[in-house]
Amino acid sequence: MIVLAACGGDEAANDPVEPAENYDPPAEKPADTEDEKASLEIFSWWTGAGEEEGLLALIDVFNQKHPEIEVINAAVAGGAGTNAKAVLVSRMQGGDPPSTFQVHGGAELNESWVAAGKMTPLNDFFDAEKLNDKFPQELIDLVSKDGQIYSVPVNIHRGNVLWYNQKVFDELNLKAPTTFDEFFKVADTLKENGITPLALGDKEAWSATHLYESVLLGHLGAAEYGKLWTGDLAFDDAKVKEATEIFAKMLEYVNEDHSARNWQDAAQLVADGEAAMNVMGDWAKGYFDGRGLKVGTDYGWAPTPNSGGMFVVITDTFGLPNEIDNPETVKEFLAVLASVEGQDAFNPKKGSIPARVDADVEKYDEYGKAAMEDFKTNDLGPSLAHGSAANEGFVTKVNDAMVMFVTQKNVDHFIEQLVAAAQEL
Ligand code: GAL
């Protein structure tokens, strides 16, 4: 089994991202008082098709159980938290934390907010709610530091998924590529037929980083990929260079307007059959389903090239910030989020599988069932683009280097930038 929480040792608090420039704190903060209705502010970046539906379904379960609590949905748009994280930094630094906020398990939680002493341990909560044996140990490890649990996982997303338009593939008699060679053959056929082979939306650089990490995983294999994050494999290793060359070649097959699109706009190209394939986490499934498409009929999926038997794990989690004055209200929400009912309301809409081991499998379609099976049997790996593999300082540097790489495709220069950034690991 591959270690997910690969990075450790860096005890220093790492400011995740620059604070947002134009953030004005709200005049009033939610508070638990006797004469005012208690309120709960849930901070996330779930505003798009699928993800918003999932969040609203979860809030709905909470509202039914706690009509006395007013829920404020404080979502900030921008995939993978592009804008939300900056707003969060401003709020946390300004002593105005939301009641609870979305944060990825792994380095993003542990090396920033936990290391900075901003989160309350939840071990007592896990004991009281009898949750300790309800989550896979790998997930508990991702949300723990020094034996303390700091957040509650609501889901497991898979990062290394290749989505494709089923009708386009059927018309051209194509099969989902399983290797890089097959990928390029399929891509050439698509190109000859006037269809953009690969949709990319890297208006926010993380989308390209997401594609790159899937190529690293496929070319290196799970064990070597894992070593990148522990410092046991250097970024100027020949294999990393080869993977970067494969990635550069893939970029020859993307839509021309990739830098003007975000991840949803890229998924839309596949949904509409203008492009045939897209590499994205399975929140893209939430997007496709949210648009009324059906897996197996309208769209298909496969592990990204060469990554069969491997599963890049991304877990969205929510915790309890220290400086809030409504911790009991937040715990009521975390209890719903941790429950089978809450997870089974959220995840089928979100495209993810439940973090709990005892959720109702029948609530999930063929994709969800396959992902649950794969999670149990595959080699697991952490995601760089989604904050579990490495600290935010490193992720930001890679994203910055990526912006230049996508246009210049200078492999040597990119590798130099990765090596320099790795000083932060
Ligand atoms: C990821 C997050 C997913 C999804 C995606 C796109 O970082 O874990 O839940 O929201 O970003 O925004």
Side-chain angles (χ1 to χ4, degrees):
M1 183 64 69
I2 302 302
V3 181
L4 279 177
C7 32
D10 179 7
E11 294 304 311
N14 179 269
D15 261 353
V17 276
E18 291 298 310
E21 278 168 13
N22 303 322
Y23 174 70
D24 288 323
E28 275 180 45
K29 284 182 31 175
D32 289 350
T33 59
E34 285 189 3
D35 40 351
E36 258 177 61
K37 189 176 181 184
S39 64
L40 170 82
E41 193 189 13
I42 304 169
F43 187 90
S44 76
W45 56 84
W46 291 330
T47 60
E51 45 191 26
E52 185 176 42
E53 278 102 323
L55 175 62
L56 296 181
L58 178 63
I59 292 176
D60 208 36
V61 175
F62 181 78
N63 281 337
Q64 281 163 29
K65 292 190 188 304
H66 296 284
E68 76 286 2
I69 299 172
E70 182 198 1
V71 175
I72 301 158
N73 177 3
V76 176
T82 308
N83 307 316
K85 287 181 189 175
V87 173
L88 182 64
V89 171
S90 297
R91 294 193 53 172
M92 295 291 271
Q93 286 179 349
D96 173 38
S99 311
T100 187
F101 59 86
Q102 178 188 0
V103 59
H104 291 122
E108 189 176 305
L109 168 70
N110 293 321
E111 293 192 29
S112 53
W113 303 122
V114 173
K118 297 280 187 189
M119 305 301 287
T120 306
L122 290 169
N123 296 50
D124 291 348
F125 171 81
F126 269 67
D127 289 343
E129 298 290 328
K130 301 192 175 51
L131 294 174
N132 289 304
D133 59 350
K134 297 293 188 294
F135 295 93
Q137 191 57 44
E138 294 92 339
L139 284 202
I140 299 276
D141 291 347
L142 279 177
V143 296
S144 300
K145 193 173 166 76
D146 304 328
Q148 307 273 16
I149 304 173
Y150 284 98
S151 67
V152 186
V154 65
N155 64 357
I156 299 167
H157 269 304
R158 184 178 195 168
N160 57 317
V161 192
L162 178 105
W163 306 97
Y164 56 91
N165 183 301
Q166 188 72 54
K167 289 178 179 140
V168 169
F169 265 49
D170 288 349
E171 268 161 33
L172 296 175
N173 211 8
L174 296 172
K175 285 211 171 58
T178 58
T179 64
F180 289 112
D181 279 350
E182 285 178 17
F183 173 85
F184 288 118
K185 279 200 191 109
V186 165
D188 282 333
T189 305
L190 288 160
K191 209 170 182 175
E192 282 157 20
N193 284 277
I195 295 164
T196 301
L198 184 65
L200 177 67
D202 63 330
K203 186 176 175 183
E204 295 157 358
W206 67 268
S207 270
T209 304
H210 186 111
L211 174 60
Y212 180 56
E213 78 180 18
S214 81
V215 179
L216 281 175
L217 178 76
H219 191 63
L220 270 64
E224 296 292 295
Y225 171 84
K227 287 184 189 169
L228 287 172
W229 322 119
T230 52
D232 294 316
L233 184 72
F235 281 91
D236 53 4
D237 186 276
K239 281 254 170 192
V240 177
K241 195 169 170 197
E242 286 159 20
T244 310
E245 277 156 3
I246 296 171
F247 173 57
K249 189 172 168 193
M250 277 182 157
L251 293 174
E252 303 291 341
Y253 292 87
V254 304
N255 44 301
E256 275 176 18
D257 63 351
H258 60 90
S259 61
R261 289 178 179 263
N262 64 20
W263 75 265
Q264 285 107 332
D265 303 330
Q268 187 196 344
L269 288 176
V270 175
D272 295 346
E274 285 179 46
M277 301 182 279
N278 181 218
V279 169
M280 192 37 66
D282 49 17
W283 44 91
K285 174 180 162 38
Y287 173 86
F288 292 138
D289 294 351
R291 293 202 38 186
L293 283 89
K294 290 268 171 296
V295 65
T297 313
D298 302 308
Y299 68 95
W301 69 278
T304 52
N306 259 20
S307 77
M310 305 177 218
F311 191 118
V312 172
V313 177
I314 295 149
T315 181
D316 294 303
T317 77
F318 287 79
L320 187 59
N322 283 341
E323 296 171 15
I324 53 169
D325 46 18
N326 57 347
E328 294 311 317
T329 303
V330 175
K331 284 188 200 161
E332 298 287 5
F333 174 67
L334 295 181
V336 170
L337 175 146
S339 69
V340 169
E341 193 185 353
Q343 301 223 337
D344 282 345
F346 175 79
N347 286 301
K349 292 195 158 51
K350 184 69 169 70
S352 37
I353 57 173
R356 277 185 75 117
V357 292
D358 56 348
D360 181 359
V361 177
E362 290 316 313
K363 294 250 161 50
Y364 299 83
D365 66 9
E366 62 180 68
Y367 174 81
K369 288 190 178 111
M372 285 182 209
E373 199 46 39
D374 284 354
F375 178 78
K376 281 190 223 145
T377 55
N378 284 189
D379 282 334
L380 308 180
S383 166
L384 171 66
H386 303 279
S388 47
N391 64 49
E392 285 284 336
F394 180 76
V395 180
T396 303
K397 288 200 170 138
V398 175
N399 284 337
D400 289 348
M402 188 58 74
V403 173
M404 208 189 285
F405 183 73
V406 168
T407 43
Q408 299 180 350
K409 301 192 187 75
N410 183 333
V411 172
D412 289 333
H413 183 53
F414 184 62
I415 296 282
E416 276 166 28
Q417 288 175 297
L418 292 184
V419 170
Q423 308 299 327
E424 302 246 0
L425 280 176

